[in-house]
Amino acid sequence: MIDHIGIGASDYETSVRFYDAALAALGLGMVMEVTPEQIGGYHARGYGKAGKPFFWLGSDGPRGAGIHIAFSASSRSQVDAFYLAAMSAGGRDNGPPGLRPHYHPNYYGAFVFDPDGVNVEAVCHAPE
């Protein structure tokens, strides 16, 4: 079980705007922030819910291509909202909302690239 994951951004403020919008559509938000003064030189924002951050965004530069992160959505409409919010906040399309039956019959997901090219997905496994 993964407790949390972190990625870095080449343009921290641009990525903050992207993740603030895209994750809000999934009911997630910033629950913790650490400053350069607290942790020695970089800025980080922890996203999650109920006070528990599980996704961290840092100002310490991108950590490489090929990263894929999938966030759980509670409904197909939440996947749709994620996609629209992410695209409006500067994301690039990597697969619009829809069924992906090659994974399983109820796999409904949407894929976008964040400002650094990280493949970010929202997925709902429940039948609509």
Side-chain angles (χ1 to χ4, degrees):
M1 174 72 61
I2 296 172
D3 182 72
H4 65 276
I5 188 169
I7 63 170
S10 60
D11 182 330
Y12 183 68
E13 293 305 320
T14 296
S15 291
V16 162
R17 285 190 298 276
F18 172 84
Y19 283 103
D20 280 356
L23 297 181
L26 299 174
L28 303 173
M30 183 190 72
V31 295
M32 186 180 294
E33 187 167 25
V34 291
T35 66
E37 297 78 26
Q38 292 172 307
I39 55 176
Y42 74 98
H43 203 152
R45 182 175 275 224
Y47 294 88
K49 60 183 170 181
K52 169 67 172 95
F54 64 85
F55 175 71
W56 285 89
L57 176 68
S59 65
D60 51 343
R63 297 192 181 127
I67 297 172
H68 173 72
I69 302 167
F71 292 96
S72 182
S74 60
S75 67
R76 292 178 182 186
S77 62
Q78 211 176 38
V79 171
D80 297 342
F82 159 84
Y83 180 80
L84 291 174
M87 294 296 289
S88 295
R92 290 180 294 118
D93 175 60
N94 191 30
L99 287 169
R100 304 311 196 273
H102 51 282
Y103 296 127
H104 68 72
N106 295 318
Y107 196 109
Y108 188 89
F111 302 82
V112 296
F113 289 116
D114 84 352
D116 285 310
V118 173
N119 182 14
V120 184
E121 174 187 4
V123 60
C124 176
H125 297 283
E128 190 89 29

